[in-house]
Amino acid sequence: MHLSCVQLCALLTLTLAAAAPPPHHVARRSFFNLQCKGVYDAAIFARLDRICDDCYNLFREPQLYNLCRKDCFTTDYFKGCVEVLQETDELELFKTYIKQLHGADPGI
């Protein structure tokens, strides 16, 4: 089966669209839904969210993902995920990130 140039371009466009990160406004809305009251930074938010995503992928427990992100990444679940993922050497950096997003000392 041979694809025409138009079909190939359409297929490539669909593939790239599926692999694209969520739009900026979706991440920003998530920032507010998590009750973050600090300064939004897309890169920082994505890095912290990735911790929770990786933790979810490890345990496949949907509630864990939400608990990890709850209250703008300030729960013990987030810290537990950092430990399980063996990223404790980055914990102080993550606390700085959380402080910026949360708008207060994270207390974790």
Side-chain angles (χ1 to χ4, degrees):
M1 178 175 126
H2 297 287
L3 296 176
S4 71
C5 183
V6 173
Q7 290 172 321
L8 187 58
C9 287
L11 183 61
L12 183 58
T13 301
L14 288 173
T15 303
L16 291 175
H24 179 71
H25 68 276
V26 172
R28 190 159 176 86
R29 187 177 328 123
S30 184
F31 171 80
F32 291 111
N33 288 344
L34 295 177
Q35 300 182 9
C36 296
K37 295 175 175 70
V39 177
Y40 176 74
D41 183 301
I44 289 174
F45 186 84
R47 179 63 177 107
L48 297 176
D49 192 54
R50 182 62 191 220
I51 294 291
C52 298
D53 193 44
D54 289 346
C55 199
Y56 164 76
N57 287 328
L58 186 62
F59 294 104
R60 296 290 180 187
E61 182 59 48
Q63 288 182 343
L64 181 59
Y65 177 71
N66 293 325
L67 290 169
C68 178
R69 299 172 80 227
K70 187 176 178 183
D71 296 330
C72 200
F73 308 100
T74 59
T75 66
D76 287 336
Y77 289 95
F78 178 81
K79 185 177 180 183
C81 285
V82 169
E83 290 171 359
V84 166
L85 295 169
Q86 299 180 351
E87 295 201 36
T88 52
D89 56 326
E90 299 285 326
L91 189 57
E92 289 305 313
L93 178 63
F94 295 151
K95 286 181 182 181
T96 304
Y97 287 169
I98 293 168
K99 187 173 184 177
Q100 179 178 336
L101 296 179
H102 185 59
D105 190 1
I108 60 170

